[in-house]
Amino acid sequence: GYLAALNAQRISKKREAEQLGCERVTDREVNPRGFNFSQVHQAEVIDSFEDADVLINVSPLLHGHLLLVPQRSKVCKQVMTCEVISMCLRWVATSARADFKILFNSLGAWSSVNHLHVHGVFTSCLFASNKFPVEERPVQLSLSQGIELVEYPIHCVRLKCCPDVTRKAWLLVEVLLKMDVPHSILLSAEFLYVFARMPQTCTKISGDPSEGDEGFRLAIVESCGYIICMNQWTFDNISEESFEEVARAQRCEDHVWGRIEAGWLEAMQQTN
């Protein structure tokens, strides 16, 4: 099942940042007057990895919540690259913790800062299995070249972390970027998951009596099955069925997913 938590201050306690809407996933340039991670206090920089800085997240969602910011002083926009996918695989591989995961939200998928970064989290504080709920879900369909579609309310691809996973993952992300499809990524030591979705929108479960308040945001942790509820009513009333109803409404349309899948498989055949 899924896990819900109440955090009514999820947004109000975050550092003030530019309000990012549903604009194009790739074309939104960094606002030089907005917040970015080059502005953080030096005390927040706790380590480095290759050419990236490791920051403590001042608004953590899980115990030990970290940020990895590649080439922090360059302030690259929040668009995933092949090089960063490869770096994340190496970052996971260096950890001695089986519960260490890396998370990414694209623009349009509730990334709140337009400055290239990923999240590092430790899941054992929440899940005895060390796995997010999506990692426990069965495979719905196995395609060619070790590609698996997960049985899940959001379109979700699972790739085994084998030597060519960077190529496969990047070719998928490249198709998503070209088609302007918002997406999120989960990476563990064993698998890499990619979620394709509709542009972000405020979400509520059926029956929510409030006016204006959000129930939760379907960002990467929620997509993985850890639902941060933003008001008491949602926390008290959310169920697996109501969460999945919202998630299905937020996944990219099936005909769009069909084009993504076809474009991705074609790109992999051309690069073999």
Side-chain angles (χ1 to χ4, degrees), residues 5 7 10 14 57-65 103 105 119 121 125-126 219-222 226 228:
N7 185 352
R10 177 176 183 182
K14 293 185 73 168
N57 192 328
V58 299
S59 304
L61 295 179
L62 291 84
H63 179 72
H65 190 163
L103 311 172
N105 289 311
H119 301 257
V121 299
C125 62
L126 297 174
I220 180 58
V221 292
E222 289 81 7
Y226 177 46
I228 310 295

Side-chain angles (χ1 to χ4, degrees), residues 228-243:
I228 310 295
C229 301
M230 296 167 63
N231 61 61
Q232 187 70 52
W233 189 92
T234 300
F235 179 70
D236 290 341
N237 291 276
I238 197 165
S239 64
E240 291 192 10
E241 292 75 17
S242 59
F243 167 72

Side-chain angles (χ1 to χ4, degrees), residues 160-204:
K160 188 167 181 60
C161 290
C162 55
D164 67 342
V165 68
T166 298
R167 178 184 69 90
K168 293 176 181 178
W170 169 242
L171 290 173
L172 174 54
V173 170
E174 195 172 33
V175 171
L176 294 169
L177 291 172
K178 288 177 179 177
M179 294 181 60
D180 260 335
V181 176
H183 50 280
S184 301
I185 296 172
L186 161 65
L187 175 60
S188 70
E190 189 176 5
F191 292 104
L192 186 151
Y193 296 78
V194 181
F195 305 85
R197 53 165 298 152
M198 298 281 282
Q200 67 194 43
T201 184
C202 299
T203 51
K204 297 181 179 183

